[in-house]
Amino acid sequence: EIQGEWYRNHVENENCCGSKEFIKLYAYELVDHPIVVHWDMDVAVLQPMDDLFDAMLYPKDSPEGKSARQRIELQHPEEPLPDVIDAYFTRDITSSQPWEKVQGVQGGFLVARPSMQIMQTYLSFIREGNYTRGRHAHSGWGGMGYGGFQGAMAYQGVVAYYYDRFHRTRAVELDVCRWNQVVADVLWRGPAKMEHHMQCREYPKNGDFESNTKCEDCRITPIELVKTVHYTACKKPWECLIPRPRIANDERQQYRLNHLTNITTCGMLFSKWFQLRKDLENQLEKKAGVEPSKRDGVFYPDYFLGYCQSTGRYIAMNPPPESFDMKTIYGM
């Protein structure tokens, strides 16, 4: 179905996960719902998302709409919100380079208004396959710079291209340290183009690279400010791993890896995930008679709350009966 030969022959090599990741786009077809939220599986919701929904559902001048809009934490608060909001996303800043004007979205999070028309637009340009190889200002989708970065040929590239080029006036970029927080370094540490060393990975709006050093360090954002977390740089809670930097063959890469994330912040966010799991187990015991699993693991108990015995040794939950309706757990 894909017309562009180079794209057709190379899309399956994209990291991650080739054309299979386009299954996420089918969220747009859930038109029986006013709003859809797409998540990857390695996430935790730490605070209510009502403000995002209310700002989409209520007119901008209504009391509900005004109140919700005032509380939304934006990546660029100096920019006005659209009159009508159709989507929220975060950018994959931790994989960006300071000199690149184009950035992909972070593919684990999207809030959107379902639409078959939007879905058809995606399908149309994906099938056309007008994609230029490389990572430069004229690469990627439409030859407009949407190429070469993590996931550019797949979901992270097509969603960025769509909302930047087709639907720009109705999409909102959220604060990356609070929404879909990945706890990863947002400063450039090389090894290429060290003239940009310690500059923010996000391209400066005013084009002034030298002053582009005042971005918030998401690795140390206070936990109480985080709305949702995406366990990428931190590793998955159920892997029972401490995200220490891996050893690289290239010393220049080692410098970057040593600063990739923050173990303390990751640990506190692990404990948030396990607190949610503990609450679920307690609810299952109360409503379905399911005995909670043991919580006697000794591996960093402040982080893993007794659910990890040692590195990689996760204590699994006891499942409820197949007949049990999980929707009853939290009154849904």
Side-chain angles (χ1 to χ4, degrees):
E1 288 187 74
I2 297 176
Q3 298 173 26
E5 181 179 4
W6 188 90
Y7 179 71
R8 183 176 66 247
N9 292 335
H10 290 84
V11 61
E12 301 305 341
N13 298 326
E14 182 58 271
N15 180 27
C16 162
C17 308
S19 65
K20 297 181 182 66
E21 202 173 27
F22 289 140
I23 194 172
K24 297 178 179 181
L25 294 176
Y26 283 91
Y28 287 99
E29 294 193 356
L30 299 175
V31 293
D32 290 338
H33 303 275
I35 297 171
V36 293
V37 180
H38 161 74
W39 297 107
D40 280 0
M41 294 296 289
D42 52 347
V43 302
V45 181
L46 305 185
Q47 296 189 37
M49 300 175 63
D50 300 59
D51 289 334
L52 302 188
F53 305 149
D54 287 349
M56 294 177 76
L57 295 173
Y58 290 100
K60 67 169 187 173
D61 294 326
S62 68
E64 299 89 347
K66 285 182 178 179
S67 178
R69 285 166 172 260
Q70 290 172 357
R71 290 189 295 268
I72 296 174
E73 293 174 290
L74 307 172
Q75 184 67 14
H76 301 288
E78 72 281 2
E79 297 180 358
L81 286 170
D83 289 347
V84 176
I85 299 173
D86 281 347
Y88 303 97
F89 57 81
T90 60
R91 299 279 183 183
D92 190 17
I93 292 174
T94 59
S95 297
S96 301
Q97 300 176 149
W99 56 90
E100 294 177 325
K101 292 184 178 180
V102 171
Q103 298 172 322
V105 303
Q106 213 296 327
F109 169 78
L110 179 70
V111 180
R113 203 183 299 273
S115 164
M116 292 302 298
Q117 182 178 355
I118 291 176
M119 181 65 168
Q120 288 305 312
T121 301
Y122 277 114
L123 292 176
S124 177
F125 72 74
I126 291 171
R127 286 169 175 158
E128 181 184 8
N130 180 14
Y131 185 99
T132 303
R133 66 186 299 179
R135 184 169 184 169
H136 50 77
H138 303 291
S139 69
W141 295 101
M144 303 184 75
Y146 295 85
F149 51 77
Q150 171 88 1
M153 286 190 281
Y155 186 81
Q156 300 199 171
V158 301
V159 174
Y161 181 59
Y162 175 78
Y163 282 114
D164 286 352
R165 300 297 171 179
F166 296 91
H167 216 69
R168 188 177 186 89
T169 59
R170 291 197 171 191
V172 174
E173 184 181 349
L174 296 175
D175 186 323
V176 73
C177 293
R178 283 144 176 79
W179 293 98
N180 201 30
Q181 153 76 304
V182 300
V183 197
D185 193 13
V186 295
L187 295 176
W188 181 252
R189 300 179 192 272
K193 296 196 175 185
M194 290 301 282
E195 65 270 24
H196 293 282
H197 182 234
M198 298 304 290
Q199 292 177 3
C200 301
R201 285 176 173 266
E202 185 176 21
Y203 186 85
K205 291 289 184 180
N206 60 4
D208 182 2
F209 291 107
E210 290 187 6
S211 65
N212 189 30
T213 58
K214 296 180 174 62
C215 38
E216 180 179 348
D217 187 348
C218 297
R219 299 171 303 170
I220 57 172
T221 296
I223 302 301
E224 61 270 19
L225 299 181
V226 176
K227 307 289 189 178
T228 69
V229 56
H230 188 184
Y231 296 95
T232 56
C234 283
K235 311 298 184 186
K236 319 308 177 194
W238 54 88
E239 290 178 331
C240 299
L241 294 173
I242 298 297
R244 304 190 193 284
R246 61 181 175 85
I247 304 302
N249 294 327
D250 187 337
E251 290 185 2
R252 297 174 303 168
Q253 290 288 359
Q254 192 64 55
Y255 166 64
R256 179 183 63 84
L257 292 170
N258 287 345
H259 293 85
L260 177 61
T261 191
N262 181 284
I263 290 175
T264 301
T265 302
C266 288
M268 290 189 289
L269 290 171
F270 288 155
S271 72
K272 290 290 187 181
W273 191 90
F274 281 104
Q275 286 167 11
L276 292 171
R277 175 191 153 160
K278 183 177 180 180
D279 180 72
L280 176 59
E281 285 191 306
N282 290 342
Q283 293 291 331
L284 285 172
E285 181 181 30
K286 179 180 178 181
K287 297 185 178 183
V290 179
E291 182 180 357
S293 63
K294 292 183 178 179
R295 300 167 184 167
D296 57 358
V298 296
F299 185 69
Y300 289 87
D302 289 344
Y303 294 164
F304 299 103
L305 305 190
Y307 290 108
C308 290
Q309 296 173 331
S310 59
T311 299
R313 296 182 63 197
Y314 174 67
I315 300 174
M317 289 179 59
N318 293 320
E322 290 187 11
S323 60
F324 181 72
D325 184 0
M326 290 293 291
K327 292 180 181 179
T328 65
I329 289 289
Y330 297 108
M332 297 176 65

